[in-house]
Amino acid sequence: YESHEIALETGDIEFAMFNIFVYCLYASYSETLVHIEEICRRGVEVMRSHKQQSTLVQAQIFLQFILNLRGMSADPLVLTGELMDQESFVEEHMTNHTNSVEYVSVHRMELAYLMDEPSIAAELVEKLSRLYKTISIGSYTGSMMCVDVALVSLELARIGDKRKHLSTASRALRMLKKWAKYSPENFLGFVHLIEAEYAVVKGKHFLANSNYLSAIALLAESNHFMYRGIALERAGMFKLSIDDEVLGRKYLEDSYSVFADWGAVVK
């Protein structure tokens, strides 16, 4: 956020607007959604006043995603509400702004996974296949997409074409491991979460349990609301599946508390 202030002082308006957006992105998983909404709303107004249309479009998509998580939309799976209308937005930007359309799909995939709608998530993974297969650097959007694609694919592997979906998850996991080698504080928690889910699909219960424990601890250490909540939820479902009702219920209750603290009322 400091870089935004510096850029404004030096007259670099475009960079200043970009930094507001980046701050909201990076803070969204470790700060409450109420706080992120407040910052993002201010950012959107500043972007409008400075006519920074490119960044404004991205910020509006993101803010609508936040509002959906907070229960401020008619359908939490559709990015239609105060900031945008998903259908008309996609129609308008399909030809000249494909990145923005893909950005809509990324957030819809996250929402579908969180809301336990695997069929919708599967369609969005297919739409994004070109994008995630070309990721080579651990940028924010690229790395989060790898995590999300892996989680969705492993969920689909439980109920559909195991070979196809495990292949997709493995590709994403390889990328995360590569980035974790150089930046474990940013990526190692995700690696353990994906490896836990992979072990569940493969029936390796001991390996699943140890990876869930590592993922929960690391994501708590980094104060990562969304993925810590996911890790607790998945660990709880795993424990219930092997008839450990005591720990299963505890993990699910902890997951509910994390999402509630974050402000994701739709979860």
Side-chain angles (χ1 to χ4, degrees):
Y1 201 71
E2 184 182 351
S3 57
H4 158 70
E5 301 291 342
I6 293 170
L8 277 181
E9 289 171 8
T10 56
D12 193 340
I13 302 301
E14 184 176 359
F15 190 63
M17 300 305 103
F18 176 72
N19 272 281
I20 294 178
F21 177 55
V22 169
Y23 171 82
C24 290
L25 282 178
Y26 278 85
S28 62
Y29 297 116
S30 59
E31 300 283 350
T32 67
L33 295 178
V34 171
H35 173 70
I36 297 303
E37 180 192 344
E38 180 186 339
I39 297 295
C40 204
R41 280 189 186 279
R42 292 209 303 262
V44 163
E45 291 308 312
V46 175
M47 289 168 200
R48 278 204 189 102
S49 67
H50 288 285
K51 299 181 181 178
Q52 295 294 308
Q53 189 61 26
S54 178
T55 311
L56 175 62
V57 168
Q58 300 292 318
Q60 286 177 314
I61 297 168
F62 179 71
L63 180 51
Q64 187 58 57
F65 169 66
I66 297 299
L67 295 179
N68 278 40
L69 286 169
R70 295 199 60 216
M72 300 166 70
S73 61
D75 184 345
L77 298 170
V78 179
L79 291 175
T80 294
E82 178 187 340
L83 272 294
M84 62 180 282
D85 178 275
Q86 179 182 294
E87 186 176 350
S88 59
F89 179 91
V90 170
E91 235 176 78
E92 181 183 348
H93 294 86
M94 182 63 78
T95 305
N96 298 321
H97 298 91
T98 54
N99 285 348
S100 296
V101 174
E102 288 173 333
Y103 191 48
V104 168
S105 294
V106 169
H107 284 313
R108 287 191 64 219
M109 178 177 63
E110 289 181 317
L111 290 167
Y113 180 80
L114 286 170
M115 300 301 293
D116 195 24
E117 294 286 351
S119 60
I120 296 174
E123 291 174 15
L124 293 162
V125 166
E126 290 298 324
K127 280 186 179 181
L128 292 165
S129 61
R130 179 197 66 80
L131 190 58
Y132 70 74
K133 286 177 181 177
T134 59
I135 293 170
S136 59
I137 59 173
S139 65
Y140 172 86
T141 51
S143 58
M144 292 303 97
M145 193 186 307
C146 274
V147 175
D148 296 334
V149 165
L151 287 171
V152 171
S153 297
L154 288 164
E155 180 66 19
L156 295 171
R158 295 184 178 92
I159 58 177
D161 185 340
K162 186 175 289 190
R163 183 177 178 182
K164 172 188 174 183
H165 296 306
L166 285 180
S167 174
T168 301
S170 294
R171 179 187 179 88
L173 180 57
R174 284 196 300 273
M175 295 303 296
L176 289 165
K177 283 183 173 179
K178 176 183 174 182
W179 300 327
K181 181 179 178 182
Y182 299 101
S183 183
E185 65 276 15
N186 286 332
F187 296 105
L188 194 55
F190 300 128
V191 169
H192 282 295
L193 174 56
I194 303 306
E195 288 191 324
E197 291 285 275
Y198 202 105
V200 170
V201 175
K202 288 289 190 177
K204 299 179 178 179
H205 294 173
F206 179 80
L207 189 59
N209 187 66
S210 63
N211 274 294
Y212 278 130
L213 290 174
S214 295
I216 291 166
L218 288 167
L219 293 168
E221 190 177 306
S222 59
N223 198 32
H224 215 301
F225 279 110
M226 178 170 150
Y227 291 102
R228 181 187 173 204
I230 288 172
L232 286 162
E233 180 181 52
R234 297 311 309 165
M237 297 304 291
F238 163 66
K239 286 295 187 181
L240 290 177
S241 74
I242 59 171
D243 298 323
D244 187 342
E245 289 199 12
V246 174
L247 269 181
R249 290 182 184 280
K250 181 184 183 305
Y251 282 141
L252 291 176
E253 287 169 2
D254 288 348
S255 173
Y256 179 84
S257 295
V258 169
F259 281 117
D261 290 344
W262 190 35
V265 299
V266 297
K267 185 61 179 166

